[in-house]
Amino acid sequence: DQQVKQNSPSLSVQEGRISILNCDYTNSMFDYFLWYKKYPAEGPTFLISISSIKDKNEDGRFTVFLNKSAKHLSLHIVPSQPGDSAVYFCAALRRRGTYKYIFGTGTRLKVLA
Amino acid sequence: NAGVTQTPKFQVLKTGQSMTLQCAQDMNHNSMYWYRQDPGMGLRLIYYSASEGTTDKGEVPNGYNVSRLNKREFSLRLESAAPSQTSVYFCASSELLAFGEQFFGPGTRLTVL
């Protein structure tokens, strides 16, 4: 039972263009969402988060959008840079109750120079 | 600050052997976590510790035990390793349980023959 899904295992984008990474979830009790970036042979690093009371959060080139009715969130990277090439994981959290972060399976982004 | 450190970085075990993965954080965080990452599966929570002195099962706890030795250290023990436990193991910490980002260590790559 995959509660958090990233249906695109990989994505290629030209440098300077927009990268859009998608994430779907099934549990409407999730109230906090995060994106992590992971380079090979390293641990994931936090990128950006959003609370369920918001529908958008921006941090520099990174914007996360949350559509609660569709149970969908997306990460936009504009403009994409070669250094953004990594695996991106979305994670969901229900702050009251289980306290467990549920991660998606990841999307490998390749930004082409 | 070293952040989250893990030892060892690599380990090869034979089926039935035991070992302990060590994790330490120097950020004075209250909560610590152990995850495993397998191809196509994302990160799955094994155990977590909300605060010093408490531990709880995550999504995939079978075959593992943990010890929250003090506020800094959280170890993961495999009592009798099995090939199904071949994986990359990540330790993480956060200031509070279920609040904000987690900081991850660099991982331990474990192979069980």
Side-chain angles (χ1 to χ4, degrees):
Chain A
D1 178 21
Q2 192 75 25
Q3 297 186 62
V4 178
K5 299 178 185 178
Q6 293 177 259
N7 292 317
S8 298
S10 63
L11 175 68
S12 290
V13 171
Q14 284 294 131
E15 182 179 6
R17 305 294 290 268
I18 184 171
S19 295
I20 300 176
L21 296 95
N22 294 304
C23 181
D24 297 296
Y25 61 96
T26 56
N27 190 339
S28 58
M29 300 299 288
F30 289 140
D31 54 10
Y32 194 68
F33 303 89
L34 309 94
W35 284 95
Y36 287 83
K37 179 165 82 171
K38 186 183 178 305
Y39 293 119
E42 294 183 12
T45 54
F46 171 75
L47 204 53
I48 193 169
S49 63
I50 188 166
S51 165
S52 60
I53 62 172
K54 295 186 173 181
D55 53 20
K56 177 182 173 181
N57 189 27
E58 226 171 323
D59 184 1
R61 296 186 296 115
F62 303 93
T63 303
V64 57
F65 295 92
L66 176 62
N67 182 334
K68 288 189 292 294
S69 60
K71 296 193 183 70
H72 177 84
L73 66 154
S74 60
L75 174 68
H76 292 210
I77 306 173
V78 184
S80 301
Q81 299 173 353
D84 296 329
S85 297
V87 177
Y88 290 78
F89 292 97
C90 66
L93 178 61
R94 178 185 167 186
R95 287 181 169 172
R96 284 168 292 182
T98 59
Y99 306 117
K100 296 170 187 174
Y101 294 78
I102 306 295
F103 281 78
T105 53
T107 295
R108 183 177 301 277
L109 174 66
K110 189 170 184 179
V111 180
L112 307 168
Chain B
N1 284 353
V4 179
T5 56
Q6 292 182 236
T7 54
K9 285 189 165 46
F10 302 94
Q11 184 71 49
V12 179
L13 293 178
K14 293 181 179 175
T15 297
Q17 287 185 316
S18 62
M19 80 161 295
T20 299
L21 281 64
Q22 306 287 353
C23 173
Q25 52 92 9
D26 62 2
M27 295 173 283
N28 202 34
H29 284 169
N30 290 296
S31 302
M32 298 185 74
Y33 314 80
W34 275 106
Y35 289 90
R36 59 179 287 175
Q37 185 193 9
D38 301 293
M41 299 289 286
L43 288 100
R44 292 182 294 168
L45 184 64
I46 305 172
Y47 270 94
Y48 67 97
S49 170
S51 60
E52 187 178 352
T54 69
T55 61
D56 282 287
K57 294 179 180 178
E59 192 180 348
V60 288
N62 290 346
Y64 305 96
N65 284 304
V66 290
S67 294
R68 184 74 183 268
L69 304 168
N70 47 54
K71 192 171 186 179
R72 288 188 64 246
E73 298 172 288
F74 189 38
S75 63
L76 179 72
R77 182 158 178 85
L78 287 71
E79 290 291 350
S80 178
S84 60
Q85 294 178 304
T86 293
S87 188
V88 181
Y89 291 85
F90 290 102
C91 177
S93 70
S94 64
E95 189 170 353
L96 293 173
L97 183 66
F99 191 85
E101 64 178 287
Q102 294 172 312
F103 293 81
F104 283 83
T108 294
R109 186 173 294 273
L110 175 67
T111 301
V112 183
L113 303 175

